[in-house]
């Protein structure tokens, strides 16, 4: 059939996940990626959407502004093969700011591009969105655990610093006590030395003295 949409051979969930980006805090897919997956031209895809524009409110589909377009291109640096495909795309000889579809918008596409294959593609894409949400949730959970662990490490470091400070105080007090004891012992030894060196007093003889 002329309108039949062919699923890209070898397509898997990881490939679909690599085509999902974060824009305006939402997971979205580019019109050109979707067109490739459906086996149609990007122009045809957007024309089909415009003919049914009432089905695609802003939370289903929107066009990127300049900053979002540049930010999205930065995200694509990680996936070099996709970036090379999209960076060279053009419409009328000039690269245009692409449209992106949220999960709701992608689901709506199956009612616009009517075919069994389109439905199957959308099922796989929905699964990819779910897998991405799980991946993001797992990453956020891991980040939270790392943050909690870092907080515990900081608390432990603070406790160790406190113990070391207390130990330094104890060592200083012990040193002062030892020095004081040493001074006392030295004073006692000096006194004993003085007593040893002092000559014994002469004693008078006991008894009566007789006159010669």
């Amino acid at each position: 059939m002329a309108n039949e949409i062919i699923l890209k051979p070898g397509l898997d969930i990881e490939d679909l996940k690599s085509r999902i980006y974060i824009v305006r805090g939402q997971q979205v897919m580019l019109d050109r990626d979707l067109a490739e997956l459906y086996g149609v031209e990007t122009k045809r895809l957007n024309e089909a959407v415009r003919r049914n524009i009432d089905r695609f409110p802003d939370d289903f589909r929107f066009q990127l502004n300049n900053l979002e377009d540049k930010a999205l291109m930065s995200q694509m640096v990680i996936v070099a093969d996709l970036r090379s495909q999209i960076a060279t795309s053009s419409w009328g000889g000039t690269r245009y700011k692409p449209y992106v579809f949220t999960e709701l918008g992608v689901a709506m596409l199956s009612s616009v591009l009517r075919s069994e294959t389109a439905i199957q593609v959308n099922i796989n894409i929905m699964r990819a969105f779910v897998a991405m949400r799980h991946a993001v949730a797992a990453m956020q959970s891991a980040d939270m655990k790392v943050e909690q662990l870092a907080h515990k490490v900081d608390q432990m470091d603070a406790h160790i610093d406190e113990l070391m400070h207390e130990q330094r105080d104890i060592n200083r007090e012990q040193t002062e006590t030892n020095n004081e004891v040493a001074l006392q012992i030295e004073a006692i030894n000096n006194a004993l030395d003085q007593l040893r060196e002092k000559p014994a007093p002469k004693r008078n003889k006991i008894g009566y003295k007789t006159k010669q």
Side-chain angles (χ1 to χ4, degrees):
M1 295 177 60
N3 294 330
E4 182 69 15
I5 297 174
I6 306 302
L7 183 63
K8 183 180 178 181
L11 184 67
D12 59 22
I13 199 73
E14 292 303 320
D15 181 32
L16 291 173
K17 284 168 60 178
S18 71
R19 298 170 186 260
I20 298 176
Y21 303 97
I22 304 298
V23 179
R24 302 183 190 179
Q26 301 183 78
Q27 294 180 354
V28 299
M29 293 188 71
L30 282 162
D31 53 359
R32 284 163 288 195
D33 275 343
L34 289 168
E36 179 187 352
L37 293 171
Y38 293 132
V40 300
E41 295 180 356
T42 306
K43 183 177 181 179
R44 176 194 162 191
L45 177 70
N46 286 316
E47 285 176 348
V49 171
R50 282 196 295 273
R51 287 195 299 268
N52 299 272
I53 197 62
D54 56 323
R55 300 186 182 185
F56 293 90
D58 290 341
D59 57 333
F60 281 43
R61 169 186 180 263
F62 57 88
Q63 190 172 25
L64 302 181
N65 58 38
N66 289 330
L67 291 178
E68 291 167 343
D69 190 25
K70 292 179 181 178
L72 188 59
M73 291 300 294
S74 297
Q75 291 187 49
M76 295 176 189
V77 170
I78 303 174
V79 190
D81 59 332
L82 291 179
R83 185 181 188 281
S84 63
Q85 294 172 17
I86 297 172
T88 57
S89 297
S90 61
W91 192 352
T94 303
R95 185 179 181 279
Y96 72 100
K97 291 186 288 295
Y99 286 90
V100 294
F101 291 78
T102 65
E103 184 175 352
L104 293 173
V106 173
M108 184 61 70
L109 279 173
S110 62
S111 67
V112 174
L113 300 172
R114 299 182 182 89
S115 77
E116 288 299 322
T117 304
I119 294 173
Q120 292 303 314
V121 170
N122 272 30
I123 289 173
N124 288 330
I125 293 176
M126 293 301 101
R127 289 170 176 164
F129 272 107
V130 172
M132 278 294 292
R133 283 200 298 273
H134 289 169
V136 170
M139 186 178 301
Q140 291 174 341
S141 177
D143 289 342
M144 184 177 296
K145 290 180 180 179
V146 170
E147 185 176 350
Q148 291 174 347
L149 181 59
H151 181 65
K152 290 181 179 180
V153 170
D154 290 341
Q155 288 181 324
M156 186 177 297
D157 287 342
H159 184 59
I160 291 174
D161 288 342
E162 183 179 353
L163 291 176
M164 292 181 66
H165 181 72
E166 291 178 356
Q167 186 61 48
R168 286 193 295 268
D169 288 343
I170 292 173
N171 292 341
R172 183 172 59 254
E173 292 175 359
Q174 186 65 44
T175 299
E176 292 174 354
T177 300
N178 292 341
N179 290 339
E180 184 177 350
V181 170
L183 290 173
Q184 292 175 354
I185 293 174
E186 184 178 1
I188 293 172
N189 289 333
N190 290 337
L192 291 174
D193 290 341
Q194 290 177 3
L195 289 174
R196 293 190 189 97
E197 294 174 357
K198 185 176 180 180
K202 293 182 179 180
R203 295 181 179 181
N204 294 327
K205 293 181 178 181
I206 299 175
Y208 297 97
K209 293 182 179 180
T210 59
K211 294 181 180 181
Q212 299 293 333

